[in-house]
Amino acid sequence: MSTVSRKPKTQAICPYLVLGLEKGTSALTVESTYWKLHDALEEGRFLHSPQAWVQAGTGLMEVENAYQRIVSGEVEDLDDKIEPFWPKLGQILIAAGKITLRQLHDAIAEQEKEHKPLGEILIEKKLLTEEELQAFLSSQNAIKLPSDSPYLLGLRLIGLRIVPEDMVGIALIEYCNDHVPIGEKLIKRGWLAKEVLEAIN
């Protein structure tokens, strides 16, 4: 059984991107944007929805962290680099409707104990055939995404810790197929509160 050994690095998200700004934006604009986001994500505005309340609270903490990093000059050169989007096998399988997020998490937990490739575990669980695995592994290289929007929105959501990397990855893969905005996809799947997306925009 062949496997793809290339593994994406988890990248640090630039604090300017977390605020929705370009690196080097003026201090005045940074401060103005910070206060707008601070007010928009105020947790009291989201008491009607537990999901929105949690996501807004988490996002507000990350906005604060990003603002403090910028003000204190803790922005490094590494923060400039946007790694290309590299879809993971599990994300591709969920986007294709082959497995659920729960099944992926269960398989990853087993992978950590058994030290087997993810594809092998999914075959053993009869969630995938060997032929399907090879086809999905081959499709990884075909998935291309521009380095700007919607990828930057995805990175921003990850940086705000509103939506985890796997969920963003799944929405980005689906975007490659149908070009429906990733925010809409995340909302439709129930992973992102619509009002929180509106607040950060």
Side-chain angles (χ1 to χ4, degrees):
M1 176 184 310
S2 68
T3 58
V4 174
S5 60
R6 194 167 99 189
K7 191 171 182 178
K9 295 182 290 186
T10 301
Q11 68 181 73
I13 309 296
C14 175
Y16 284 96
L17 178 56
V18 171
L19 297 182
L21 300 170
E22 291 186 17
K23 188 172 179 185
T25 298
S26 73
L28 190 62
T29 303
V30 167
E31 184 166 354
S32 168
T33 302
Y34 164 71
W35 284 111
K36 282 179 189 169
L37 287 168
H38 185 277
D39 293 344
L41 291 170
E42 182 59 46
E43 291 168 316
R45 304 177 77 182
F46 301 96
L47 294 175
H48 62 283
S49 163
Q51 178 194 36
W53 183 79
V54 170
Q55 289 180 340
T58 303
L60 186 56
M61 283 191 294
E62 293 308 317
V63 163
E64 180 71 36
N65 290 339
Y67 177 69
Q68 292 302 327
R69 279 184 66 196
I70 293 168
V71 169
S72 64
E74 291 179 30
V75 183
E76 302 169 11
D77 289 340
L78 287 174
D79 288 321
D80 269 339
K81 297 184 179 174
I82 303 290
E83 298 288 331
F85 173 64
W86 173 250
K88 297 176 185 174
L89 174 61
Q91 295 168 350
I92 294 170
L93 293 171
I94 293 170
K98 289 300 295 180
I99 62 172
T100 65
L101 195 56
R102 174 82 266 155
Q103 288 169 325
L104 173 62
H105 289 166
D106 290 345
I108 289 171
E110 188 171 327
Q111 182 184 31
E112 289 169 359
K113 289 181 199 166
E114 303 292 329
H115 304 289
K116 293 180 182 177
L118 181 65
E120 188 176 321
I121 291 168
L122 293 171
I123 289 170
E124 287 173 1
K125 290 179 172 287
K126 306 220 181 298
L127 295 171
L128 208 57
T129 66
E130 174 68 31
E131 294 74 25
E132 287 172 326
L133 174 62
Q134 294 311 317
F136 282 114
L137 287 173
S138 297
S139 75
Q140 278 181 305
N141 293 323
I143 296 172
K144 303 284 183 219
L145 195 70
S147 60
D148 55 2
S149 178
Y151 187 33
L152 292 182
L153 173 60
L155 288 177
R156 188 171 179 218
L157 290 169
I158 294 167
L160 286 163
R161 293 194 310 122
I162 290 173
V163 181
E165 186 179 342
D166 269 338
M167 291 178 181
V168 169
I170 293 159
L172 288 171
I173 292 164
E174 291 176 337
Y175 172 85
C176 291
N177 295 327
D178 59 21
H179 297 283
V180 173
I182 68 162
E184 283 183 34
K185 290 194 165 297
L186 291 165
I187 290 165
K188 188 174 180 183
R189 282 188 174 268
W191 295 340
L192 175 63
K194 181 179 180 182
E195 53 267 58
V196 172
L197 180 62
E198 289 169 353
I200 68 164
N201 285 333

